[in-house]
Every structure is written in structure tokens, then in C-alpha cells.
Amino acid sequence: MNKRAFQADQVSKSFGALRVLDNVSITINPGEVVGLLGPNGAGKSTFINILAGYEKQDGGTVTIDGHPLDGLSPSARAKFGVARTFQSGRLFGKLTVAENVALGAIGLGNSSKVAKERAESILEILGIEKLSPYPAESISHGNARLVGLARAVAAHPEYLIMDEPAAGLNEDEAPRLIHALESVTKNIGCGMLLVEHNVKLVTEACSRVIVLATGTLIFDGDPHEALKHEEVKSAYLGNAGAH
């Protein structure tokens, strides 16, 4: 698979008189796991919606390897290698875990045979292959999160945007998610952008973190350095330290 940088350049967005994003620029490199932090109202959801094609920006561009994605639908962007998971992304309860994962590949036009093989491979990579024959409605919330990740990865994206993948996970389940993300990066190589409130998970899973505050990029760098950054602490950790 061709590996290319995923970029947002000077992206801006307003809703009426409210400026939600103000000239935000980021680059995510192939295989890189980047965390996106920021307090409520920082513009995180709007930003990832623009990256994935669910929202149109007022200014700026989104590109892969310099190729503009602006104006393309989410499904069209998926064909360019950009996938997105949702915080409330539900599985099809009556289908088996393997069938749920295979749908991720079928959605991009792969044959049932290819989709089944990918599902088996990805479930093994994530260490949850034993769940394959069980109905999705019968598995735990933590396992459902991993199956949702597997379904997104089955499309073989170059870049995966994840909206709060750790939401609802307990302290025992979060390390499994971190391990799963590491396995995906190592074995499949897609870059990731994680929108998270769980600062501990971001510092452990991500090699880089970007921080938004009131629609402005205030930090882009090492996760551990972000925790020491005065502007980050006042803008984010000051009212989100309990997460």
C-alpha cells in the first residue's frame, strides 16, 4: 500500500458568528499515532468531521500526498484511505463478531472471500479471534470496542480517525485498547488520529499530541511535554484533569 502524508492546512470553520476553527494545520505521517486533546468546545469534533468529510470547512485544504480531498464525501475519502470511527459506533448485534468485522471490508467493494480472510487476520492481530463465532450482542463493552476497531481496520485505511475509542472502558480494559492500537500500527501500518479525553491513554498510545483550545492549535509535540505546557494546562487540564 502506498504510504502518504495526511494533512490539514489552514482549516477554518464558523457557525454563524462563532468561529469554531481558526487556521488549524496538522500533518500525520504514515504509521504515526497522534492524539487530539482539548476541552469541550475546543473544536475537536468539528475538526475531525472536516477531515473525514462529514463537514465542509470555510477555508483551508485537506490532502493526502498533496491531493485535495475537499468536496469528497466520507465514502469517497474512504477510497483514498481515510476512515473514521464514531464514539457511539454500534455493532450489528445479531451478526457474529467475524461478520461485523467483514462488513468493514465489504463496504469498500471487497469480495466476501477477501472480507472473511481480512476479518480472521485482524481478529487474530488484535488477539480476539476466539470471539469470532459469537453474536456481537453477547460480548462485553470492552470487547465491542476492539471489534469496532477491527471493523474499521478491515477497510485497510491508510489513516484512521478514532472518536474517543476509550469511552466507557474501565481501568482493566484501557490497556487492552492500547495494546490493540500498537498491534494495528505494527501489523497494518495505518496512521491514526485519536480524539480522547483520557490523557493517560494518549500519553501511552501516541507518539505525538496536538491540542486545540477555542478553535486554535496551541500545541503539537511530545505527549509528556504537553502535560508540562502552561497554555495546555490552563486550557485543557485545568478543567479536564479529572478525566
Side-chain angles (χ1 to χ4, degrees), residues 6 48 51-52 82-85 159-163 192-193 195:
F6 184 36
I48 63 172
L51 293 180
V82 179
R84 187 200 153 161
T85 66
Y159 292 95
L160 178 59
I161 302 166
M162 304 186 72
D163 189 2
M192 296 186 199
L193 178 64
V195 182

Side-chain angles (χ1 to χ4, degrees), residues 214-227:
T214 59
T216 302
L217 182 67
I218 62 170
F219 183 87
D220 184 342
D222 181 86
H224 299 283
E225 291 300 316
L227 300 180

Side-chain angles (χ1 to χ4, degrees), residues 113-198:
K113 181 176 182 293
V114 168
K116 182 180 178 181
E117 290 172 352
R118 279 194 192 175
E120 291 174 353
S121 173
I122 292 165
L123 288 170
E124 186 172 351
I125 287 170
L126 296 184
I128 52 174
E129 65 273 16
K130 291 181 180 179
L131 298 177
S132 294
Y134 293 102
E137 64 186 6
S138 71
I139 65 177
S140 69
H141 176 73
N143 282 329
R145 281 286 174 181
L146 296 181
V147 174
L149 171 61
R151 182 172 63 184
V153 172
H156 276 196
E158 290 189 46
Y159 292 95
L160 178 59
I161 302 166
M162 304 186 72
D163 189 2
E164 298 197 30
L169 298 186
N170 60 38
E171 290 185 4
D172 294 327
E173 293 168 329
R176 293 182 63 210
L177 175 63
I178 293 173
H179 179 71
L181 295 175
E182 291 172 347
S183 296
V184 169
T185 303
K186 177 181 177 181
N187 293 281
I188 297 173
C190 65
M192 296 186 199
L193 178 64
L194 273 60
V195 182
E196 257 303 332
H197 282 292
N198 187 327

Side-chain angles (χ1 to χ4, degrees), residues 10 14 17 21 26 32 34 47 52 57-58 79 97 103 107 115 123 132 135 149 165 183 191 193 208 233 240:
Q10 300 291 301
S14 296
L21 296 171
I26 70 164
E32 188 176 28
V34 179
F47 186 56
Q57 69 269 36
D58 298 330
K79 293 178 181 177
V97 164
L103 285 176
L123 288 170
S132 294
L149 171 61
S183 296
L193 178 64
R208 214 174 98 228
K233 287 195 290 185

Side-chain angles (χ1 to χ4, degrees), residues 17-151:
L18 179 64
R19 193 163 178 83
V20 180
L21 296 171
D22 189 10
N23 295 319
V24 178
S25 298
I26 70 164
T27 297
I28 305 174
N29 298 302
E32 188 176 28
V33 182
V34 179
L36 173 58
L37 295 175
N40 291 332
K44 302 186 302 296
S45 295
T46 299
F47 186 56
I48 63 172
N49 281 338
I50 288 171
L51 293 180
Y54 291 92
E55 193 86 54
K56 290 184 179 180
Q57 69 269 36
D58 298 330
T61 59
V62 178
T63 62
I64 282 188
D65 196 28
H67 182 94
L69 302 182
D70 308 319
L72 295 182
S73 67
S75 58
R77 292 185 194 213
K79 293 178 181 177
F80 272 94
V82 179
R84 187 200 153 161
T85 66
F86 290 85
Q87 184 180 344
S88 60
R90 294 179 180 174
L91 303 176
F92 294 96
K94 301 300 182 184
L95 298 182
T96 68
V97 164
E99 288 169 340
N100 268 277
V101 177
L103 285 176
I106 291 173
L108 279 184
N110 292 285
S111 68
S112 296
K113 181 176 182 293
V114 168
K116 182 180 178 181
E117 290 172 352
R118 279 194 192 175
E120 291 174 353
S121 173
I122 292 165
L123 288 170
E124 186 172 351
I125 287 170
L126 296 184
I128 52 174
E129 65 273 16
K130 291 181 180 179
L131 298 177
S132 294
Y134 293 102
E137 64 186 6
S138 71
I139 65 177
S140 69
H141 176 73
N143 282 329
R145 281 286 174 181
L146 296 181
V147 174
L149 171 61
R151 182 172 63 184

